[in-house]
Amino acid sequence: MREEHGMLRWSSNYAFLVSISNGEETALAVYKPQRGERPLWDFPDGTLRYREVAAFVVSDALGWQIVPPTVLRDGSRGVGSVQLYVNNNPEVNYFSLDQRFAERLMQFAAFDYVINNADRKGGHCLLDADGHLWGIDHGIGFHTAPKLRTVIWDFAGQSVPEEILKDLEQVCGQVEDPCSRLRIELDKVLADAEVAALLARMRRLLQRREYPRPGPGPNYPWPPV
């Protein structure tokens, strides 16, 4: 990281806009240091940065490009996650998307179930200048207990498209293999029980072949945006 440009005020945990460089090219990124993570009663302290990286690893393996590139780095405020910044219109979110994004949101819904996303707010869906829909803020995912809280319930009870199931089946096999590159990357950032729970959710979705329905318990995030 080359330069820090200030804090992103709308984030519930400390997040900073920074410049990153590979020596030739420079880009903006969001840096979330471990020291800025707010303690949660149901997630181990200091693990949100790992879950951000795990979400990218799963998204990348699926080939869905939901999560922007995310890595762990030691920055000016200590170790944290660093995610490529998505330049987007802040007035556009999930609630302003139309039917053209239905297939894309089907991927989002399957992804959120698989990673057990506990906080898919409408404002966590970002549309970039090229029309690509991204998902951000996955720090409270991958819990071993059911925690799915999302605004995307459009497809509840519907069949999961075959293309999505094929991608999930391929990735499920990689997670099952303790020597696969994907499994090795996940083992670096998640506990053994969390990887096992991820695998169980993937198997369950592949077996049932339909999107989950809300309930029991709170299944909608607050605030919704």
Side-chain angles (χ1 to χ4, degrees), residues 1-8 15-22 25-31 74-77 82-83 85:
M1 285 178 280
R2 298 182 57 181
E3 185 179 359
E4 187 177 298
H5 302 291
M7 183 183 297
L8 301 175
F16 300 88
L17 186 65
V18 298
S19 292
I20 57 174
S21 174
N22 64 0
E25 299 181 358
T26 300
L28 292 176
V30 177
Y31 166 45
D74 190 358
S76 58
R77 300 172 187 269
V82 178
Q83 184 174 93
Y85 176 76

Side-chain angles (χ1 to χ4, degrees), residues 67 91 112 126 157 164-165 175 211 219-220 223:
V67 184
E91 296 184 1
D112 285 341
L126 307 182
I164 290 178
L165 292 173
V175 178
Y211 287 99
N219 293 123
Y220 294 84

Side-chain angles (χ1 to χ4, degrees), residues 4 35 48 55 66 68 72 91 98 166 168 192 199 205:
E4 187 177 298
R35 290 186 298 183
L48 272 60
I66 289 177
L72 288 175
E91 296 184 1
D98 57 30
K166 288 179 182 178
L168 286 169
D192 291 346
L199 187 57
L205 193 59

Side-chain angles (χ1 to χ4, degrees), residues 50 105 118 182 188:
Y50 293 130
L105 290 173
L182 173 59
K188 292 178 182 177

Side-chain angles (χ1 to χ4, degrees), residues 42 113 116 118 143-149 201 204 215-216 218-219:
D42 53 348
Y113 173 75
N116 202 14
H143 202 285
T144 55
K147 295 280 184 180
L148 182 61
R149 290 191 292 271
R201 289 189 297 271
R204 191 177 303 120
N219 293 123

Side-chain angles (χ1 to χ4, degrees), residues 20-21 45 48 50 97-98 101 114 120-121 151 166 218:
I20 57 174
S21 174
D45 291 349
L48 272 60
Y50 293 130
L97 300 175
D98 57 30
F101 294 91
V114 165
R120 173 65 74 199
K121 294 182 174 68
V151 295
K166 288 179 182 178

